[in-house]
């Protein structure tokens, strides 16, 4: 769900990656009061304005248990109007039938490049066992590309047709790198130290909360045992490193089984970035055993061949769903057997490199670039306002000039949708469908065709929760008793401003 706040002159859309449900009285409640503001910080040695939550960068981790009711003072873009400075808005929802590692982040106006993000941990209920031994500790790592330009400068540069270029650095939990190399790590920055005890096993949750850069994650001399990704318990596999693309989250079990002659590097290296334009910037934290004999030293652990994308593709294909784990798991419309679902709607969404539309550069899907109306979509739908949006988003590319439009997919209630994401550009694309998860059944090089379905994994594909903006309208023709009414503190704007 998209949460929309305005404090100290900034509009912040906090995006919580979990399914929405109305609150149920029989389960515990947990309350969060978020104050969103700018702070001044220098993660790479250059002072800049950063979006903080409760004065923290990154923001506080939401640590909850499935079925808990969560109450957050904030709001929802596409559903709610902006919260004026000095106001507050309380939002109630339930983390229903979910477990795993997620994160929240700003999703509008490129504000994610300025921070505002934080981790989300959703634990199993006590009666549901986890499919591995109880870890000795739980650690959240948020890795992200970072630019010393402001998010406003970066956004304007994109609108003017300039590429983002390589990041100025990579952060670990909002901090710059260990001083491993005078050429690439400034000496006046703080870095993250992760404290561990020898012989113990930790669950390390890693999320790429950046804006554009895929990052290769690895811990010097330690194996990563993958156990979960975005709410899907996975078949447990051992990796020396793993490419984590923008928006993705993973849980690893890491055993501290090395000697403590020194600390060890934890590394997040940019992937598929031209090193000649600054791609040498690397995120580095320190893994510190309590009996360590000294700081990190020597070269970083090697990065896989950055020229060959097949390494990353094969890694992604190797990740499988653990079908024997008993836990909350993605369950679209009551069917765990997604391979047996009869698909009712098919959308081929083709993204192209940015195009000049009305004097600014815009990315497009099927030739359309989303235009944000002044009236939130949900309010326009509830009040039956005409002219705010159209339900005419094409299911396939059309032979016409690209344009700005508020065009929505007219989805059918209780339908099952196959979405093909065709990237015709030269950069890695990330997509997120709000409040839902994709079963990623196929991926490959080149153009998708009808014959591509023969290669789909219809048995144990993991679900992913992680866009260029695109909205789906799903109307329930029946009376839905579980749908909650508009709250008493509803804020109105746009065509409905007179109701405030």
């Amino acid at each position: 769900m998209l949460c929309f706040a305005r404090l100290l002159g900034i509009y912040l859309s906090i995006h919580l990656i979990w399914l929405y449900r109305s609150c149920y009285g029989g389960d515990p409640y947990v309350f969060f009061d978020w104050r969103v503001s700018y702070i001044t910080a220098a993660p790479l040695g250059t002072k800049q304005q950063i979006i903080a939550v409760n004065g923290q960068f990154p923001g506080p981790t939401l640590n909850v248990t499935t079925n808990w009711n969560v109450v957050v003072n904030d709001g929802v873009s596409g559903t709610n109007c902006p919260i004026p400075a000095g106001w507050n808005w309380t939002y109630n929802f339930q983390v229903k039938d979910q477990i795993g590692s997620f994160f929240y982040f700003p999703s509008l106006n490129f504000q994610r490049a300025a921070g505002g993000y934080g981790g989300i941990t959703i634990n199993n209920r006590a009666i549901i066992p986890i499919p591995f031994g109880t870890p000795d500790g739980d650690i959240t790592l948020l890795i992200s590309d970072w630019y010393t330009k402001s998010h406003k400068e970066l956004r304007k540069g994109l609108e003017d047709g300039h590429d983002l270029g390589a990041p100025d650095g990579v952060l670990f939990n909002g901090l710059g790198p260990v001083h491993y190399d005078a050429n690439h790590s400034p000496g006046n920055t703080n870095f993250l130290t992760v404290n561990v005890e020898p012989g113990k096993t930790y669950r390390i949750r890693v999320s790429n909360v950046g804006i554009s850069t895929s990052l290769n994650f690895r811990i010097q001399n330690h194996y990563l045992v993958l156990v979960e990704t975005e709410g899907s318990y996975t078949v447990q596999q051992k990796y020396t490193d793993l490419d984590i693309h923008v928006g993705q989250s993973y849980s690893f079990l890491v055993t501290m089984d090395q000697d403590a002659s020194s600390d060890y590097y934890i590394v997040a290296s940019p992937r598929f970035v031209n090193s000649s334009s600054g791609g040498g910037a690397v995120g580095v934290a320190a893994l510190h055993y309590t009996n360590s004999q000294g700081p990190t030293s020597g070269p970083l652990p090697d990065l896989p061949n950055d020229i060959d994308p097949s390494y990353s593709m094969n890694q992604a294909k190797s990740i499988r769903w653990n079908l024997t784990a008993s836990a909350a798991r993605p369950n679209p419309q009551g069917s765990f057997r997604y391979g047996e679902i009869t698909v009712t709607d098919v959308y081929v969404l083709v993204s192209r490199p940015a195009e000049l539309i009305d004097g600014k550069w815009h990315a497009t899907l099927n030739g359309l670039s989303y235009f944000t109306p002044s009236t939130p979509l949900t309010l326009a739908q509830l009040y039956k306002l005409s002219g705010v949006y159209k339900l005419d988003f094409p299911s396939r590319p059309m032979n016409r000039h690209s344009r700005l439009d508020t065009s929505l997919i007219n989805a059918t209630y209780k339908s099952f949708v196959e979405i093909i994401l065709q990237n015709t550009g030269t950069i890695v694309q990330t997509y997120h469908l709000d409040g839902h998860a994709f079963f990623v059944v196929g991926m490959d090089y080149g153009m998708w065709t009808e014959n591509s379905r023969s290669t789909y994994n219809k048995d144990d594909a993991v679900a992913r929760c992680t866009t260029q903006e695109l909205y789906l309208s799903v109307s329930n023709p029946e009376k839905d008793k579980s749908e909650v009414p508009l709250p008493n503190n509803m804020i109105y704007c746009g065509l409905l401003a007179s109701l405030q």
Side-chain angles (χ1 to χ4, degrees), residues 395-465:
S395 61
R396 281 172 169 73
M398 302 183 71
N399 186 20
R400 63 186 183 189
H401 293 296
S402 297
R403 67 174 191 267
L404 299 178
D405 210 340
T406 308
S407 177
L408 281 59
I409 290 177
N410 190 12
T412 306
Y413 182 59
K414 292 186 178 179
S415 64
F416 293 98
V417 182
E418 178 183 8
I419 299 177
I420 296 95
L421 302 169
Q422 181 71 60
N423 182 3
T424 63
T426 58
I427 61 174
V428 177
Q429 288 279 19
T430 294
Y431 291 84
H432 167 72
L433 184 57
D434 203 24
H436 294 268
F438 298 97
F439 281 106
V440 184
V441 298
M443 64 185 79
D444 216 329
Y445 300 101
M447 299 296 290
W448 180 89
T449 68
E450 299 288 337
N451 292 331
S452 300
R453 291 193 179 96
S454 64
T455 66
Y456 285 180
N457 173 9
K458 294 186 177 182
D459 298 315
D460 58 357
V462 292
R464 289 281 187 194
C465 68

Side-chain angles (χ1 to χ4, degrees), residues 209-231:
V209 298
I211 56 174
S212 68
T213 310
S214 298
L215 297 170
N216 179 268
F217 178 80
R218 56 206 188 275
I219 301 178
Q220 184 181 28
N221 292 3
H222 291 73
Y223 283 111
L224 311 171
V225 179
L226 180 64
V227 294
E228 177 259 332
T229 175
E230 296 153 29

Side-chain angles (χ1 to χ4, degrees), residues 180-233:
Y180 69 96
D181 184 334
N183 294 322
H184 291 120
S185 55
N188 59 338
T189 61
N190 295 322
F191 59 85
L192 177 68
T193 297
V194 178
N195 295 305
V196 295
E197 295 186 31
K200 293 193 174 181
T201 296
Y202 294 80
R203 181 172 182 173
I204 300 182
R205 304 171 189 264
V206 188
S207 297
N208 184 340
V209 298
I211 56 174
S212 68
T213 310
S214 298
L215 297 170
N216 179 268
F217 178 80
R218 56 206 188 275
I219 301 178
Q220 184 181 28
N221 292 3
H222 291 73
Y223 283 111
L224 311 171
V225 179
L226 180 64
V227 294
E228 177 259 332
T229 175
E230 296 153 29
S232 294
Y233 283 130

Side-chain angles (χ1 to χ4, degrees), residues 477-499:
E478 307 165 6
K479 180 64 177 177
D480 188 351
K481 295 180 180 180
S482 67
E483 186 173 352
V484 295
L486 290 177
N488 294 330
N489 63 344
M490 193 70 213
I491 300 174
Y492 294 93
C493 57
L495 298 177
L496 298 171
S498 61
L499 298 179

